[in-house]
Amino acid sequence: MKTLVKPPKLLPGDLVGITAPASWVDRDQAAAAAAYLERLGFRVRFGQTLTKQYGYLAGSDEERAGELNAMFADPEIKAIVCARGGYGTGRIADLLDYGLIRANPKVFWGYSDITFLHAAIGRFAGLVTFHGPMLVDLTREDLLPVTVQNFETLLRPSVLRYTEDITPLRTLVEGEAYGPLTGGNLTLLASTMGTPYELDTAGKILFLEDIDEEPYRIDRMLNQLRQAGKFADAAGIMVCDFHNCEPNKRKVSLTLEQLLQEYIVPAGKPALSGFKIGHCSPNIAVPLGIEARMSTAEKLLECVEPGVEG
């Protein structure tokens, strides 16, 4: 694991690069969403991948990886926001230049399928990245001001402090945990197992979220993480939003709550559920790699420092 590098904070007028390292996006939708960033004082530059279509991918693996490498290398671009998730980031992980990324630290922002890149960049570049709402999320009908305000923290660095003032939190296992934040989308985390980019949870606070996965599939993935020692190694566990994760194919089913009781609780690590992080509104941004404290008694997650320098 590399020593941690934080990206510089953003300044009004800074250029934000928009790329699509997974699936493609409608350009009109991207343009409408970019207006939010422009109102915050940023300039926006779209990459060529946004509207390239190679099946469900935003261009070939070489095109998507090449654009991401180029944005990190471009000194004018100060932040990189992923247009959307979908599928495809795991395909480009071995095409990225992690030495280049580490030598040019800048904000890298996204979630869902972007989870694979967070894991890879964290392991091989040691860069603090941000698990947060993507560009297309800014056009959601249920967009809340707090979601947009996530981006403002890049201009005015603040320390993440998640309490029940945001959403109710429920204790699964009592206790207090300290460690760097790590995690993301459960499906993508499971897909890193056995690869060079496998998520390291040792001594860390692990958070999990997902969307449109039936309980039997969540069961399979939680079991994989359990057998890989990811819960046993973690300092603490945050259960975030599991959107629309209801039985469909298998009507007779275990519930998500039963799965939490069977996989999270036996790990014996301090655990809270109810965080609005992931495919939800609001979607609170999380700086990956930053040291944090989680307390079930206080119903609290707080970082010790901002995710950006300055």
Side-chain angles (χ1 to χ4, degrees):
M1 181 66 68
K2 298 277 189 180
T3 56
L4 202 64
V5 175
K6 294 200 296 185
K9 74 173 184 179
L10 300 183
L11 299 172
D14 275 349
L15 181 64
V16 175
I18 307 296
T19 188
S23 297
W24 49 272
V25 66
D26 178 82
R27 195 173 185 88
D28 290 340
Q29 183 184 20
Y36 281 92
L37 298 182
E38 291 170 343
R39 285 198 286 273
L40 292 176
F42 300 122
R43 293 180 294 128
V44 174
R45 178 189 296 167
F46 292 125
Q48 296 300 308
T49 57
L50 266 68
T51 53
K52 287 183 178 291
Q53 295 185 22
Y54 176 57
Y56 38 74
L57 302 170
S60 69
D61 295 343
E62 291 74 18
E63 287 172 323
R64 288 176 289 117
E67 181 166 282
L68 188 53
N69 282 330
M71 285 190 174
F72 270 105
D74 188 337
E76 188 180 4
I77 292 177
K78 304 302 181 184
I80 302 169
V81 173
C82 296
R84 64 160 297 184
Y87 171 75
T89 61
R91 295 174 54 126
I92 68 172
D94 56 355
L95 298 177
L96 298 182
D97 187 335
Y98 296 101
L100 168 72
I101 293 171
R102 183 172 176 82
N104 297 275
K106 55 188 67 176
V107 169
F108 178 70
W109 188 288
Y111 74 107
S112 193
D113 197 72
I114 312 304
T115 293
F116 202 108
L117 294 186
H118 286 311
I121 291 171
R123 178 177 286 271
F124 289 104
L127 176 67
V128 172
T129 59
F130 291 83
H131 181 282
M134 288 179 288
L135 189 72
V136 295
D137 289 317
L138 297 177
T139 62
R140 289 177 54 148
E141 291 184 359
D142 60 349
L143 180 69
L144 295 176
V146 67
T147 300
V148 181
Q149 289 164 9
N150 281 273
F151 291 95
E152 295 183 21
T153 65
L154 300 176
L155 287 163
R156 292 170 287 279
S158 61
V159 175
L160 172 65
R161 193 172 192 273
Y162 198 119
T163 69
E164 290 195 297
D165 289 339
I166 300 175
T167 54
L169 300 175
R170 184 169 65 88
T171 298
L172 297 176
V173 180
E174 293 183 352
E176 192 161 282
Y178 298 85
L181 288 171
T182 193
N185 182 265
L186 175 60
T187 300
L188 272 296
L189 295 178
S191 76
T192 69
M193 297 298 106
T195 74
Y197 315 101
E198 182 170 324
L199 184 72
D200 176 18
T201 64
K204 299 179 181 181
I205 298 176
L206 170 66
F207 69 93
L208 303 170
E209 67 88 28
D210 220 317
I211 183 173
D212 294 338
E213 295 288 353
E214 293 197 46
Y216 79 95
R217 295 171 62 89
I218 294 173
D219 189 330
R220 184 190 68 229
M221 293 182 285
L222 290 177
N223 187 52
Q224 186 176 10
L225 265 61
R226 179 188 66 82
Q227 291 187 346
K230 300 307 175 183
F231 300 143
D233 288 347
I237 301 171
M238 299 162 53
V239 178
C240 303
D241 198 76
F242 279 74
H243 183 72
N244 195 34
C245 291
E246 302 293 336
N248 184 24
K249 179 180 178 181
R250 300 170 186 265
K251 297 298 185 182
V252 179
S253 172
L254 296 174
T255 65
L256 180 61
E257 179 59 32
Q258 285 175 299
L259 297 178
L260 298 180
Q261 292 297 321
E262 292 184 0
Y263 287 106
I264 303 300
V265 173
K269 303 304 173 77
L272 281 172
S273 69
F275 294 94
K276 283 293 186 180
I277 296 170
H279 295 79
C280 51
S281 184
N283 179 4
I284 305 300
V286 176
L288 295 165
I290 294 295
E291 293 279 340
R293 177 177 75 95
M294 185 183 74
S295 169
T296 64
E298 299 175 60
K299 299 289 182 66
L300 167 72
L301 173 78
E302 60 179 356
C303 291
V304 302
E305 59 184 338
V308 293
E309 293 283 8

